[in-house]
């Protein structure tokens, strides 16, 4: 009873120890997983005003716009539209608006154009209501419509080799400027002029082909710049949005074999990464099985760069599987084709009937126990699905069944029985003769 109690206690301690190891292993694996996600800056599809030289500035098609002007010392005044000299608002003393326009009888006065159109372009003025020949120029309003744009190419733009050329096709649709206008293509830090200082009398579209020389300066974001008078707008277009150099070369090595790894093994992988460049920030991620670790992040490169990265970890079950490296440049990610180590594989254990055998790729050992009696023909090997069941005892004992035992005794004992019976008969005959002689 005491021995049974001690065994039960030992079993309980063994189970508790295994549970603690399992929990600590999960915690360690969770802390080892460090995926880095670089949040990309949202790219606006609208336009951003860079420069303005006039208090009126540039009014965009279909938007509301307000001009503020000095009414001088006029008791009554009129806002006059430049394109057709129309009196749009009369303030004498209260302001009487017309459709699409309103003003304030303040000093200075503010004129609001509810929806800017081509007809609103030009120099607005305030006229004395009592003397129309007396006026004050307020501001020259430039009217513009920023275009939509699409950029396409004659080849891949995410694996470019230096000292080559790339043909980009820029499709610019529905643009207008009441003054001189221009279009430029920006690739990385390089500005290419597409159209400069030309007039358009109506809303216009253009398709322009531009050949780009690929060098470090031309790698990076692709944008179209729309210029209207002295104001510029950098536009983010559909289609090609950045030019990237061809991906770096990659090779992965390890400090030990990776084809038969035991759990808990300390493994160091070395990544040799050559010939990478990113116009903004570069980074690398290493994935082993289902675990992703950050090797390098937010690195600024001024030239083509090489690096060697070492990464050590304890082998856990979720590390088994494919090994890969991701190259991150700005907001894009690209998987690399690496040489060397491509997979981490666990050491395997197999059990065959009638024997206990543990096999790995590095060593094989076998131990077999069987009874001396000839065994029947071998049973078929278990299928892969049967291999996951609890292994049976490796020691086999051959026992005769009761029927076989009886039959054997019957076959062996028959001659003995006949001999004994014959001896009894002989003894009886001898005794009878002896008694007969005594009677005589």
């Amino acid at each position: 009873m005491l021995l049974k109690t001690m065994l039960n206690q030992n079993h309980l301690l063994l189970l508790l120890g295994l549970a603690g190891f399992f929990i600590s292993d999960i915690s360690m694996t969770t802390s080892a997983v460090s995926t880095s996600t670089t949040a990309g800056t949202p790219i606006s599809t609208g336009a951003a005003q860079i420069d303005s030289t006039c208090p009126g500035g540039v009014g965009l098609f279909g938007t509301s716009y307000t001009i503020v002007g000095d009414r001088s010392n006029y008791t009554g005044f009129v806002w006059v539209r430049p394109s057709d000299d129309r009196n749009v608002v009369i303030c004498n003393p209260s302001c009487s608006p017309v459709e699409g326009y309103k003003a304030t009888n303040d000093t200075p006065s503010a004129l609001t154009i509810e929806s800017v159109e081509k007809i609103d372009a030009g120099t607005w003025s305030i006229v004395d209501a009592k003397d129309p020949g007396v006026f004050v120029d307020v501001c020259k309003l430039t009217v513009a419509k920023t275009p939509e744009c699409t950029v396409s190419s004659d080849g891949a733009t995410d694996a470019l080799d230096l000292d080559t050329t790339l043909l980009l096709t820029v499709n610019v649709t529905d643009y207008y400027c009441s003054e001189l206008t221009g279009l430029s293509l920006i690739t990385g830090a390089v500005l290419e002029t597409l159209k400069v200082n030309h007039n358009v009398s109506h809303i216009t579209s253009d398709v322009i082909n531009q050949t780009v020389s690929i060098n470090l300066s031309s790698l990076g974001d692709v944008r179209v710049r729309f210029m209207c008078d002295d104001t510029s707008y950098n536009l983010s277009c559909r289609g090609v949005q950045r030019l990237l150099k061809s991906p770096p070369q990659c090779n992965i090595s390890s400090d030990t074999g990776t084809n038969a790894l035991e759990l808990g093994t300390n493994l160091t992988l070395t990544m040799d990464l050559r010939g990478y460049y990113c116009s903004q920030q570069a980074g690398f991620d290493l994935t082993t099985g289902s675990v992703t670790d950050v090797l390098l992040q937010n690195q600024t490169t001024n030239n083509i760069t090489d690096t060697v990265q070492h990464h050590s970890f304890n082998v856990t079950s979720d590390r088994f599987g494919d090994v890969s490296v991701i190259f991150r440049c700005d907001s894009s990610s690209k998987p690399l084709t690496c040489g060397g180590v491509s997979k981490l594989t666990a050491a395997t254990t197999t059990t065959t009937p009638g024997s206990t055998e543990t096999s790995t790729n590095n060593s094989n050992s076998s131990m077999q126990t069987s009874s001396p009696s000839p065994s029947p023909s071998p049973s078929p090997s278990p299928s892969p699905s049967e291999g996951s069941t609890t292994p049976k005892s490796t020691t086999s004992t051959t026992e005769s069944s009761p029927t076989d035992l009886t039959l054997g005794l019957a076959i062996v004992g028959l001659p003995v029985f006949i001999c004994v019976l014959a001896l009894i008969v002989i003894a009886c005959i001898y005794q009878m003769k002896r008694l007969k002689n005594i009677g005589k």
Side-chain angles (χ1 to χ4, degrees), residues 81-83 101 113 115-124 141 143:
R81 187 167 62 190
S83 60
Y101 302 89
I113 306 171
S115 180
V116 174
E117 301 294 338
K118 286 172 56 178
I119 201 171
D120 297 315
T123 302
W124 284 78
L141 176 61
V143 174

Side-chain angles (χ1 to χ4, degrees), residues 255-310:
D255 62 343
T256 187
T258 57
N259 292 328
L261 290 167
E262 300 287 349
L263 292 177
T265 301
N266 185 271
L267 179 67
T268 298
L269 295 180
T270 299
M271 280 61 61
D272 188 0
L273 306 164
R274 296 185 176 275
Y276 67 92
Y277 173 81
C278 184
S279 61
Q280 295 183 25
Q281 291 183 328
F284 292 93
D285 295 338
L286 170 68
T287 298
T288 52
S290 60
V291 182
T292 298
D293 299 309
V294 176
L295 297 177
L296 191 66
Q297 63 179 342
N298 300 333
Q299 183 191 31
T300 301
T301 57
N302 297 321
N303 209 331
I304 296 177
T305 308
D306 301 333
T307 185
V308 176
Q309 297 289 319
H310 304 280

Side-chain angles (χ1 to χ4, degrees), residues 137-355:
D137 286 338
V138 176
C139 181
K140 177 183 174 182
L141 176 61
T142 300
V143 174
K145 185 179 189 304
T146 56
E148 297 291 329
C149 58
T150 302
V151 180
S152 58
S153 69
D154 64 344
T157 59
D158 60 349
L160 296 168
D161 293 323
L162 299 183
D163 301 324
T164 60
T165 59
L166 180 71
L167 179 63
L168 295 180
T169 299
V170 182
N171 188 356
V172 183
T173 59
D174 299 337
Y175 71 93
Y176 174 79
C177 179
S178 59
E179 301 294 326
L180 290 177
T181 185
L183 295 168
S184 299
L185 174 67
I186 303 173
T187 56
V190 177
L191 178 68
E192 303 277 359
T193 299
L194 302 178
K195 278 196 169 185
V196 62
N197 295 336
H198 68 289
N199 290 301
V200 292
S201 58
H202 56 276
I203 296 176
T204 305
S205 298
D206 277 312
V207 177
I208 306 167
N209 292 322
Q210 180 67 38
T211 300
V212 177
S213 298
I214 302 304
N215 51 54
L216 292 183
S217 298
S218 62
L219 297 175
D221 292 339
V222 175
R223 293 159 293 167
V224 168
R225 175 171 292 179
F226 168 63
M227 292 156 286
C228 180
D229 199 10
D230 294 325
T231 304
S232 299
Y233 302 86
N234 285 342
L235 309 175
S236 294
C237 303
R238 294 184 295 270
V240 177
Q241 295 188 349
R242 60 183 58 87
L243 303 183
L244 299 177
K245 180 190 170 296
S246 54
Q249 296 178 347
C250 168
N251 188 76
I252 305 174
S253 58
S254 66
D255 62 343
T256 187
T258 57
N259 292 328
L261 290 167
E262 300 287 349
L263 292 177
T265 301
N266 185 271
L267 179 67
T268 298
L269 295 180
T270 299
M271 280 61 61
D272 188 0
L273 306 164
R274 296 185 176 275
Y276 67 92
Y277 173 81
C278 184
S279 61
Q280 295 183 25
Q281 291 183 328
F284 292 93
D285 295 338
L286 170 68
T287 298
T288 52
S290 60
V291 182
T292 298
D293 299 309
V294 176
L295 297 177
L296 191 66
Q297 63 179 342
N298 300 333
Q299 183 191 31
T300 301
T301 57
N302 297 321
N303 209 331
I304 296 177
T305 308
D306 301 333
T307 185
V308 176
Q309 297 289 319
H310 304 280
H311 187 67
S312 300
F313 54 88
N314 289 325
V315 175
T316 53
S317 59
D318 49 2
R319 293 278 186 178
F320 295 130
D322 293 336
V323 178
S324 61
V325 174
I326 298 291
F327 173 55
R328 290 182 285 103
C329 179
D330 303 337
S331 58
S332 64
S333 300
K334 187 176 184 64
L336 302 181
T337 302
C338 299
V341 176
S342 61
K343 194 169 187 177
L344 303 185
T345 306
T348 58
T349 302
T350 59
T351 303
T352 58
S355 67

